[in-house]
Amino acid sequence: MPSTTREPYEMSRTDKWAPLRAEYAALADDLAGLDEGQWAKRSLCGEWSVEEVTAHLTAASSLSMPRWLGSMIGARFDADEHNRRRVAEFRGATPAETLARFRAAGARAKGPSGHVDAWLGEVVAHGQDIRRPLGLTRTPAVEVVERVARFYASRDFAVNSKTAATGLRLEATDGPFTAGDGPLVTGTTLALTMAMAGRAPYADDLTGPGAETLRSRIA
C-alpha cells in the first residue's frame, strides 16, 4: 500500500489554483525518471497507458472553457471521444516530449471552469492512476486529498463518486474527512477518494461493514 507523505501547501487566497499547480509539479518530478517500458505500462484508468493519462492531464490543464466546449460539440458530447482526441493532440512524439508538454502546462494549470476541487480531483486521481501501478509512493498532502474527497462525496462529476458512496458512512483514518450515513467504511483519505472515483485496487484497502458494498458498486 502506498505510503503517506505530508507536504506543506499554502492555500493562497490570491491564487486559488496554486494547489493544482503543485500537484502537477510533483507528478512531473515523479515521471521524470521513467523508462520507455514504464511510460507504456497500463494505468488504473481503463485501457490508458501512463503516457496517455499524462497527455490527458495536459489537455485538462490547457483547455479554456470555449475550447473544451468546442471539443465536446465536435465529439457530439461523447466524453470518451473527446478525451481520445485531446490525448492524441497533447501526446508528444516521444515520452520525453509528452513530459515536457505536461510540465509546461502544469506550471500554468487551471481548469476550464472555476470548480477548483473538481480539477484538483483530476490530477490527484490520475496521479495515483499512474503512481500505483508503477510502485511510486508519493501521496498528496491529506488536506489536499480531503478537498477532493469532500467534492466527490457531494456530487457526481467526471465519475459517479456520490452515487458510489450513497448510503454509507465514510471515515478517514488519517484526517478529518467524514461523509454520509449508513454502514461504516474506513481507510485513508486517499483510499476513500480513489474508491469513490471507481478505482477497485484502492477499495481493497478499506475496512468496515460497508466496505464490501462500496467494492461491489465499483467492481
Side-chain angles (χ1 to χ4, degrees):
M1 179 176 176
S3 63
T4 299
T5 302
R6 295 185 61 88
E7 297 182 357
Y9 281 79
E10 189 171 329
M11 301 301 179
S12 171
R13 293 183 180 181
T14 58
D15 183 5
K16 66 182 181 180
W17 297 106
L20 180 72
R21 292 173 184 146
E23 286 305 314
Y24 268 86
L27 182 55
D29 288 345
D30 281 348
L31 294 169
L34 301 189
D35 59 32
E36 288 194 12
Q38 289 172 309
W39 278 106
K41 191 175 182 67
R42 183 174 174 177
S43 73
L44 295 185
C45 187
E47 299 295 324
W48 279 357
S49 69
V50 166
E51 187 175 4
E52 287 168 329
V53 174
T54 303
H56 171 69
L57 284 172
T58 303
S61 66
S62 300
L63 298 179
S64 64
M65 178 54 77
R67 282 196 67 198
W68 179 85
L69 184 58
S71 177
M72 288 294 290
I73 292 172
R76 298 184 178 183
F77 291 94
D78 181 333
D80 290 337
E81 179 61 22
H82 156 80
N83 285 329
R84 281 191 293 269
R85 291 178 179 183
R86 300 292 69 80
V87 165
E89 177 185 356
F90 287 94
R91 186 176 185 175
T94 65
E97 185 177 348
T98 300
L99 176 57
R101 292 179 177 184
F102 174 81
R103 193 183 288 276
R108 58 180 185 274
K110 59 181 180 179
S113 69
H115 296 89
V116 179
D117 292 346
W119 302 110
L120 189 59
E122 280 284 291
V123 69
V124 167
H126 286 314
Q128 299 310 122
D129 285 341
I130 288 170
R131 290 186 177 104
R132 183 148 177 161
L134 293 174
L136 300 175
T137 58
R138 181 188 178 274
T139 298
V142 170
E143 58 265 31
V144 171
V145 184
E146 184 190 355
R147 293 178 61 172
V148 178
R150 293 197 181 283
F151 180 82
Y152 279 0
S154 68
R155 62 184 290 185
D156 293 335
F157 187 66
V159 292
N160 294 326
S161 50
K162 180 180 179 181
T163 299
T166 296
L168 299 172
R169 172 68 175 175
L170 309 183
E171 292 188 4
T173 57
D174 61 344
F177 171 70
T178 60
D181 294 294
L184 180 65
V185 184
T186 62
T188 65
T189 311
L190 184 64
L192 291 167
T193 300
M194 293 297 290
M196 283 190 283
R199 274 49 173 188
Y202 281 89
D204 291 338
D205 297 339
L206 304 176
T207 59
E212 186 56 40
T213 298
L214 182 54
R215 277 193 286 270
S216 69
R217 290 175 180 177
I218 66 175

